[in-house]
Amino acid sequence: NVGGSVPIMGAAITSILIYMSILLGRGLPPAHSRLLLGVGAVVTILFAEIAGFGLAAAFGVPLTDLSLMIVFIVVGVGVDDAIVLVGFLRAEDPSMPVEARVPAALGRAGSAIFLTSFTNLLAFLVASLVDFPGVRWFCICAGLVVFVLFILTTTLFTALLVFDERRAVAARWDCCACCGGPCTSPWCKV
């Protein structure tokens, strides 16, 4: 029964996403937090699922109860990609400008993200050759969603990472970017 498992799946995915947001950020002060970047990763994953399922529907691939498991797979792959990319960004020299650090981090993390996505895609496409229609449809749909996730991670999430890194360099707060930063008010000099 899929309907009864939806709340449990929602709680599991929410806990994974909270864990990712904690892992991405460095906590307090708010300038070092990456909560909004975690939200950006969630949005990237949701867009990938929507676009992947849309492509599957456009290709005439029916969705089954088994297709619901794709959500877990994509959340896992998407969270892993986000954590790997942010981890490689942290390893870059902080004295370099953001415009140089992010491409360098993507260049190093891109091979890991590509390898993960490509092997998942290849595994799903090979598994789609099975004679059981439900499994075939699941694998085709999962392959499409993983492919779209790779594209969105290397484009949309990377752009969000640039914005967030610029915010962090300017010492702006995470959830309120108009706050924080170096004080330029005359009151600071008193």
Side-chain angles (χ1 to χ4, degrees):
N1 182 5
V2 175
S5 63
V6 170
I8 295 169
M9 289 176 48
I13 290 173
T14 301
S15 64
I16 290 169
L17 298 175
I18 289 171
Y19 175 73
M20 176 194 55
S21 295
I22 291 170
L23 197 61
L24 288 181
R26 296 182 207 151
L28 296 175
H32 296 296
S33 173
R34 291 196 186 261
L35 180 65
L36 285 182
L37 186 63
V39 171
V42 171
V43 168
T44 303
I45 293 167
L46 288 175
F47 282 173
E49 290 173 351
I50 291 168
F53 285 131
L55 279 173
F59 292 142
V61 177
L63 296 178
T64 64
D65 290 342
L66 189 60
S67 299
L68 193 56
M69 298 308 297
I70 295 171
V71 174
F72 280 113
I73 295 168
V74 173
V75 165
V77 172
V79 166
D80 177 61
D81 290 350
I83 291 171
V84 166
L85 191 51
V86 171
F88 274 100
L89 180 66
R90 283 188 183 150
E92 292 297 322
D93 182 13
S95 66
M96 293 171 44
V98 173
E99 292 76 15
R101 279 188 294 139
V102 173
L106 185 60
R108 291 178 48 218
S111 59
I113 293 170
F114 173 77
L115 187 62
T116 302
S117 299
F118 180 72
T119 55
N120 283 330
L121 176 63
L122 189 63
F124 284 126
L125 292 181
V126 168
S128 70
L129 300 175
V130 74
D131 285 336
F132 189 62
V135 174
R136 178 183 303 135
W137 298 328
F138 167 80
C139 291
I140 292 170
C141 189
L144 288 170
V145 175
V146 166
F147 175 73
V148 172
L149 178 65
F150 171 73
I151 298 298
L152 290 180
T153 299
T154 56
T155 56
L156 175 63
F157 183 74
T158 304
L160 296 174
L161 184 60
V162 169
F163 287 131
D164 188 68
E165 193 63 17
R166 286 179 181 165
R167 176 207 53 82
V169 166
R172 298 285 180 194
W173 290 5
D174 185 27
C175 292
C176 185
C178 61
C179 299
C183 185
T184 58
S185 168
W187 295 100
C188 294
K189 298 175 183 172
V190 174

